[in-house]
Amino acid sequence: MGLLLKSLVPFVGLILALWFYSKDDLKPEMLKEKRVIVTGASTGIGEQMAYHLAWMGAHILVTARTEAKLQKVVTQCLELGAASAHYVNGSMEDPTLADDVVKRAKQLWGGLDMLILNHISPTYLKYFDGDVEHIRKLLEVNFLSYVAMTLSALPMLKESGGSILVVSSTAGKFAIPFVAPYSATKFALDGFFSSLRQELIIEKVNVSITLCVLGHIDTETAKKTVGHVFWLPPAPKEECALEIIKGGALRKRELYYQYFAVRTSLLIRDWAPEYLDSRTRNHFIVENVKRS
Ligand SMILES: NC(=O)C1=CN([C@@H]2O[C@H](COP(=O)(O)OP(=O)(O)OC[C@H]3O[C@@H](n4cnc5c(N)ncnc54)[C@H](OP(=O)(O)O)[C@@H]3O)[C@@H](O)[C@H]2O)C=CC1
Ligand SMILES: C[C@H](CCC(=O)NCC(=O)O)[C@H]1CC[C@H]2[C@@H]3C(=O)C[C@@H]4C[C@H](O)CC[C@]4(C)[C@H]3CC[C@]12C
């Protein structure tokens, strides 16, 4: 009996470990023929997500303001193997755009499987200068348009049992200096979408919401904005984009990239917030930060 138990325990352990790791794997077939909207996809992480979806064979609808860049992304997606690729250009400052993009998806495909909310209005990294208009604009583009797109897309997502991916930031989870207006919009996303997720679960609605909490990523915008003030090296946008898609396809509640650094910061946040504050401040070269 003792011998049986001794050999059974490692065996069960192995089976559990295999089950745990195998369920955490993204298989490209999961995205094949899926109908996906990616916002803010003319550059940066959004553009890279479109390319990953393309080689996996998804139908893709990208949006941003700059038409010429979107046209190039669409061409590249088709070359990489997308089932189809289209764009809608416009600014999310325009409250009608969210609905127009979702309507275009319905017209093209008759349904939707994945909504990736990623766009942000250009933001600065400096001491807060009292510019309330800037906060208002960021709330409109980075937060309210996410809510509007979700509302328009929910009926189609309910029908397909689809997913919503909300791209956020460490600045939406703990205090990072010099990005006060932007940080406010990312905390708002967490509040809104985490509450909505609870309601969907209570109502047994099969739509997943994945909040993606990203650290410093090497997009051109980030390099320009923080290259001279933040000394920790950025992580690659291509890998980041793939991790986001993986998190959404596996219907995770939250996704952290880079996993270890972000999880560690979140653990410290809850037990030693002053220490996290001071550690974060020390990552900035404050002499290089603009005052206005
Ligand atoms: N890079 C980083 O270090 C980090 C990024 N993140 C998050 O990742 C996401 C992507 O960031 P990143 O790739 O660096 O950003 P980019 O600046 O590279 O891309 C932003 C995208 O949003 C679009 N956009 C800008 N303004 C508007 C608007 N008014 N209406 C519609 N679209 C607009 C841009 O295109 P166009 O100008 O053509 O409109 C572009 O496609 C964001 O949600 C960001 O908060 C989070 C943490 C760190
Ligand atoms: C550098 C910040 C990440 C800090 C971090 O994760 N530290 C870990 C730790 O201390 O343990 C970045 C977090 C938010 C970024 C900013 C952002 O997301 C908005 C803009 C996005 C744009 O594409 C690039 C510039 C940003 C201002 C971007 C800059 C880097 C962050 C401040």
Side-chain angles (χ1 to χ4, degrees):
M1 185 66 182
L3 191 69
L4 186 71
L5 257 182
K6 265 191 201 154
S7 50
L8 210 63
V9 170
F11 180 71
V12 172
L14 186 73
I15 298 289
L16 282 177
L18 280 177
W19 172 77
F20 184 78
Y21 286 108
S22 65
K23 80 182 171 61
D24 211 27
D25 233 23
L26 171 71
K27 298 180 181 58
E29 310 86 78
M30 287 175 172
L31 273 309
K32 197 169 168 56
E33 307 275 324
K34 293 289 181 220
R35 301 153 296 179
V36 188
I37 294 177
V38 189
T39 71
S42 64
T43 54
I45 300 163
E47 178 185 1
Q48 297 305 318
M49 287 194 277
Y51 297 153
H52 282 304
L53 290 161
W55 70 255
M56 291 180 206
H59 292 278
I60 305 161
L61 176 59
V62 290
T63 111
R65 292 169 305 176
T66 320
E67 188 168 17
K69 287 187 191 169
L70 290 172
Q71 279 166 345
K72 283 191 188 149
V73 173
V74 162
T75 307
Q76 180 81 0
C77 284
L78 292 171
E79 278 168 18
L80 286 168
S84 69
H86 299 268
Y87 71 85
V88 175
N89 66 298
S91 172
M92 288 290 176
E93 282 170 83
D94 171 358
T96 62
L97 184 69
D99 199 42
D100 290 348
V101 174
V102 175
K103 276 191 184 134
R104 180 86 175 111
K106 192 175 173 86
Q107 182 193 51
L108 285 167
W109 309 317
L112 183 68
D113 299 293
M114 190 178 265
L115 173 65
I116 306 184
L117 299 167
N118 165 76
H119 62 278
I120 46 164
S121 189
T123 192
Y124 50 65
L125 197 135
K126 64 178 186 185
Y127 288 88
F128 180 56
D129 60 2
D131 185 354
V132 177
E133 266 321 298
H134 180 62
I135 303 185
R136 226 184 286 283
K137 180 171 165 181
L138 292 202
L139 279 171
E140 191 64 59
V141 176
N142 301 4
F143 174 61
L144 289 174
S145 74
Y146 280 42
V147 174
M149 287 212 68
T150 299
L151 283 178
S152 303
L154 256 180
M156 284 198 285
L157 291 171
K158 282 181 183 173
E159 214 174 286
S160 64
S163 358
I164 302 170
L165 282 67
V166 179
V167 180
S168 187
S169 158
T170 47
K173 283 286 188 187
F174 60 87
I176 294 184
F178 314 122
V179 286
Y182 166 85
S183 180
T185 66
K186 293 298 192 187
F187 270 85
L189 288 176
D190 192 350
F192 180 84
F193 282 96
S194 300
S195 176
L196 183 66
R197 185 194 296 112
Q198 291 280 54
E199 293 177 21
L200 295 177
I201 293 169
I202 290 167
E203 293 197 306
K204 297 191 172 48
V205 173
N206 185 24
V207 175
S208 63
I209 296 182
T210 303
L211 185 77
C212 308
V213 184
L214 313 182
H216 186 199
I217 314 298
D218 69 355
T219 61
E220 288 311 309
T221 318
K223 283 190 224 162
K224 264 187 246 147
T225 319
V226 285
H228 57 302
V229 293
F230 192 78
W231 60 263
L232 285 184
K237 57 181 185 293
E238 298 80 2
E239 185 183 69
C240 174
L242 188 58
E243 285 301 307
I244 295 174
I245 293 169
K246 182 173 161 183
L250 297 174
R251 304 175 86 79
K252 290 203 171 160
R253 182 179 180 278
E254 291 196 348
L255 172 276
Y256 311 98
Y257 185 83
Q258 294 178 309
Y259 184 85
F260 190 72
V262 176
R263 286 306 321 243
T264 307
S265 297
L266 292 180
L267 203 68
I268 304 173
R269 176 197 64 175
D270 292 339
W271 291 91
E274 288 87 356
Y275 170 65
L276 180 63
D277 284 356
S278 106
R279 200 183 74 138
T280 306
R281 287 195 299 273
N282 287 336
H283 291 154
F284 284 84
I285 309 160
V286 289
E287 305 79 64
N288 291 349
V289 178
K290 281 206 290 182
R291 287 209 169 263
S292 65

